[in-house]
Amino acid sequence: GQNIDQPTEMTATEGAIVQINCTYQTSGFNGLFWYQQHAGEAPTFLSYNVLDGLEEKGRFSSFLSRSKGYSYLLLKELQMKDSASYLCAVRDRDYKLSFGAGTTVTVRA
Amino acid sequence: DGGITQSPKYLFRKEGQNVTLSCEQNLNHDAMYWYRQDPGQGLRLIYYSQIVNDFQKGDIAEGYSVSREKKESFPLTVTSAQKNPTAFYLCASSTLQDYNEQFFGPGTRLTVL
């Protein structure tokens, strides 16, 4: 199985930048995913990293270091609608995902 | 439109009753998954299936059962043996290709009274 850690909560101001860290210990790493989940709704896919480095997608970027077992999700130009839970998930070679507990981000005006 | 559907959105049952949650996808995905989500915890895998008529236990399979008679459908039965069934249940599907993510259904919130 996987052991995945991420902070429980983060608060930031509208227009600011927030970085959500995720560390993992894994057997059979086959990719890392970030999902966004609004309360009571399904998770929606944000980003995927399988090689080391930065992947940029509009206001969202994700970074991976496989040797350090570390990833982060960077949210830029925060908007009120970005208030949500952000889930870090690691995939194994059987295509199963293991999720962290999620980081609740609150964006203040 | 392609997607994953789960029904119902909210479900109430009395303690001791079995209940079946439905999950259907028209994305032609080979793999389907069931997760449970509790407050303050991440999604935990209950069962998954990568091919019709075959499925595997996840991390918390006790008290649950599944079937995969059709590629499109992966129903989950919460049995009376599940000690704490009240939770938010999410179904997902994916291809078995590296660069593809899991897509999630809208979820079923089960409350056992």
Side-chain angles (χ1 to χ4, degrees):
Chain A
Q2 328 280 12
N3 187 24
I4 301 167
D5 289 312
Q6 50 183 129
T8 303
E9 294 179 337
M10 301 184 75
T11 301
T13 306
E14 198 172 14
I17 298 173
V18 70
Q19 177 175 315
I20 306 169
N21 296 325
C22 173
T23 59
Y24 63 90
Q25 295 172 316
T26 182
S27 54
F29 178 82
N30 188 25
L32 188 142
F33 295 79
W34 285 95
Y35 284 83
Q36 180 191 61
Q37 185 180 27
H38 286 97
E41 297 182 7
T44 55
F45 169 74
L46 289 178
S47 69
Y48 167 69
N49 295 73
V50 67
L51 300 176
D52 291 352
L54 188 68
E55 294 285 338
E56 296 189 84
K57 245 184 171 184
R59 294 189 298 115
F60 295 171
S61 304
S62 57
F63 172 84
L64 175 67
S65 169
R66 289 171 297 170
S67 63
K68 295 182 180 178
Y70 169 70
S71 173
Y72 67 73
L73 179 70
L74 196 68
L75 285 63
K76 294 178 275 190
E77 301 171 14
L78 278 173
Q79 301 175 9
M80 299 300 288
K81 67 178 182 179
D82 297 330
S83 291
S85 183
Y86 292 85
L87 313 178
C88 174
V90 174
R91 186 174 63 186
D92 66 18
R93 300 206 182 281
D94 291 328
Y95 293 88
K96 301 195 312 290
L97 289 180
S98 294
F99 285 82
T103 299
T104 299
V105 171
T106 301
V107 181
R108 299 177 303 187
Chain B
D1 285 306
I4 304 176
T5 58
Q6 291 184 243
S7 61
K9 180 73 172 173
Y10 298 95
L11 189 56
F12 296 88
R13 279 294 181 269
K14 292 183 178 179
E15 196 172 335
Q17 290 181 332
N18 291 355
V19 60
T20 297
L21 312 182
S22 81
C23 177
E24 304 277 334
Q25 55 99 0
N26 60 4
L27 300 167
N28 199 33
H29 286 169
D30 289 309
M32 297 187 74
Y33 310 82
W34 273 105
Y35 296 91
R36 169 185 174 136
Q37 188 173 32
D38 295 281
Q41 297 193 41
L43 278 67
R44 292 183 289 167
L45 183 65
I46 304 172
Y47 269 98
Y48 66 103
S49 166
Q50 295 183 340
I51 193 170
V52 174
N53 292 323
D54 188 49
F55 47 83
Q56 307 295 329
K57 291 182 179 180
D59 300 319
I60 55 165
E62 185 176 350
Y64 299 98
S65 66
V66 293
S67 63
R68 186 90 186 274
E69 296 177 1
K70 298 184 300 181
K71 188 175 184 178
E72 302 79 19
S73 179
F74 192 40
L76 173 75
T77 297
V78 184
T79 75
S80 56
Q82 167 51 232
K83 294 179 181 177
N84 295 296
T86 295
F88 188 44
Y89 290 88
L90 287 158
C91 179
S93 71
S94 73
T95 68
L96 292 173
Q97 296 170 358
D98 285 346
Y99 286 85
N100 290 320
E101 70 274 21
Q102 288 185 16
F103 292 83
F104 285 83
T108 293
R109 187 166 298 279
L110 173 65
T111 301
V112 176
L113 306 171

